[in-house]
Amino acid sequence: MSSITLIGTGNMARTIGTRAVAGGNTVEVMGRDQSKAEALATALGGGATTGKWGAVPAGDIVIAALLYDGVVPVVTEYADALAGKVIVDISNPFNATFDGLAHSEETSIAQEVAKVAPAGASVVKAFNTIFRDVLEKGRPNVFIAGDSAQAKAGVAAFIESLGLRPLDVGGLKMAHWLEGVGVVTVGLAANGVGHWDFALGVDELAG
Ligand SMILES: NC(=O)c1ccc[n+]([C@@H]2O[C@H](COP(=O)([O-])OP(=O)(O)OC[C@H]3O[C@@H](n4cnc5c(N)ncnc54)[C@H](OP(=O)(O)O)[C@@H]3O)[C@@H](O)[C@H]2O)c1
C-alpha cells in the first residue's frame, strides 16, 4: 500500500482520497485553508490526517489536486519540502473555450513542475484524462507519463490499489499529449458522446 498526500481539498482530492482510503492507503490532506483540509480528512475517514500547508508531506506520493494555474506556484512555494517526493500532476490546462491548451504547444504543466521541483523529486502526470464522476464510480484506465521508472512504478502500484488499470504512455514529455487527451475527452463529451459518463481506454485485441 502507498502513503499519499493530497495537496488541495476540492473535488478531485475528495474523489482520489475516497478511493485511496478504500484501497487501504495512508492518506494525508493539505490545503491552503486548514479548516477545509481538516473537514476533508474527517470526511475521508480511514485514519486520514492533515498536514500544515508548506510543511514536508507525510506521503511519499504527493498529488497536486489543484487548478492548473496553481500547480507550479504551489510546488515552487513548497520548494525543498518536496525533496525526494513523487509529485503527481493531475491538472488539465484548458483554454477559455475548452478546445485547446492554455500554454504553448511545447510543454505541459507537469513539465513546468519538473523545472521547479527540488532535487530528488520526480514528476508523474496521471488522472487528468478521467472525469471526476467516472473516477468515483467506474474502473477507468489511468494514463501516466514520467521520466522516472521508479516513480511511475510507485504511482502505478497506487493506481492498482484503487482497483484501476495504470497505463504508461512514456516519458514526461508525453504529459503534453495527455493534456491534449483531456481536451479530446471534453470534445467528445460535448459532441460525439454527448455526455460526461465515459472514459477513454485501451482495448487490446487478443491473438
Ligand atoms: N473535476 C474533474 O472532473 C477533473 C478531472 C481530471 C482532472 N482534473 C483536474 O484536477 C484539478 C483539480 O480539479 P477539481 O475539480 O478538484 O477542482 P476544485 O474542486 O475547484 O478544487 C481545486 C483545489 O485547488 C485549490 N487551489 C486552487 N488554486 C490554488 C492555489 N493557487 N494555491 C493553493 N490552492 C489552490 C483550491 O483551494 P481553495 O478551496 O482554497 O480555493 C481547491 O482545494 C484541476 O487541475 C483539474 O483540471 C479535474
Side-chain angles (χ1 to χ4, degrees):
M1 291 303 109
S2 306
S3 167
I4 68 154
T5 292
L6 296 159
I7 301 183
T9 57
N11 294 318
M12 287 295 278
R14 181 173 296 267
T15 299
I16 294 172
T18 299
R19 288 200 84 135
V21 166
N25 298 284
T26 302
V27 177
E28 178 189 55
V29 183
M30 289 176 158
R32 62 181 170 183
D33 181 334
Q34 186 70 17
S35 65
K36 286 187 183 176
E38 284 165 10
L40 179 55
T42 301
L44 293 178
T49 59
T50 57
K52 283 211 163 53
W53 184 257
V56 175
D60 299 323
I61 296 174
V62 178
I63 300 175
L66 305 163
L67 299 183
Y68 81 84
D69 57 357
V71 182
V72 169
V74 167
V75 171
T76 303
E77 183 183 345
Y78 267 72
D80 286 345
L82 296 176
K85 302 292 184 184
V86 175
I87 304 167
V88 179
D89 168 41
I90 68 169
S91 68
N92 276 313
F94 296 133
N95 67 9
T97 46
F98 295 91
D99 57 359
L101 298 175
H103 51 63
S104 86
E105 294 183 1
E106 302 298 327
T107 192
S108 63
I109 298 298
Q111 288 162 278
E112 296 304 309
V113 167
K115 291 177 187 169
V116 300
S122 304
V123 181
V124 175
K125 187 89 185 181
F127 292 108
N128 74 295
T129 61
I130 307 163
F131 296 128
R132 183 186 65 83
D133 280 0
V134 176
L135 189 57
E136 193 174 287
K137 300 181 297 204
R139 296 176 65 82
N141 293 176
V142 183
F143 299 132
I144 65 175
D147 286 338
S148 163
Q150 191 181 355
K152 282 194 289 194
V155 173
F158 170 63
I159 290 166
E160 284 170 351
S161 81
L162 310 184
L164 307 176
R165 180 190 185 200
L167 280 174
D168 182 358
V169 303
L172 196 62
K173 69 179 182 182
M174 292 299 285
H176 172 77
W177 303 107
L178 285 185
E179 292 179 355
V181 172
V183 177
V184 169
T185 308
V186 169
L188 285 167
N191 296 281
V193 175
H195 59 79
W196 300 82
D197 222 5
F198 73 97
L200 296 183
V202 172
D203 285 330
E204 296 176 66
L205 301 181

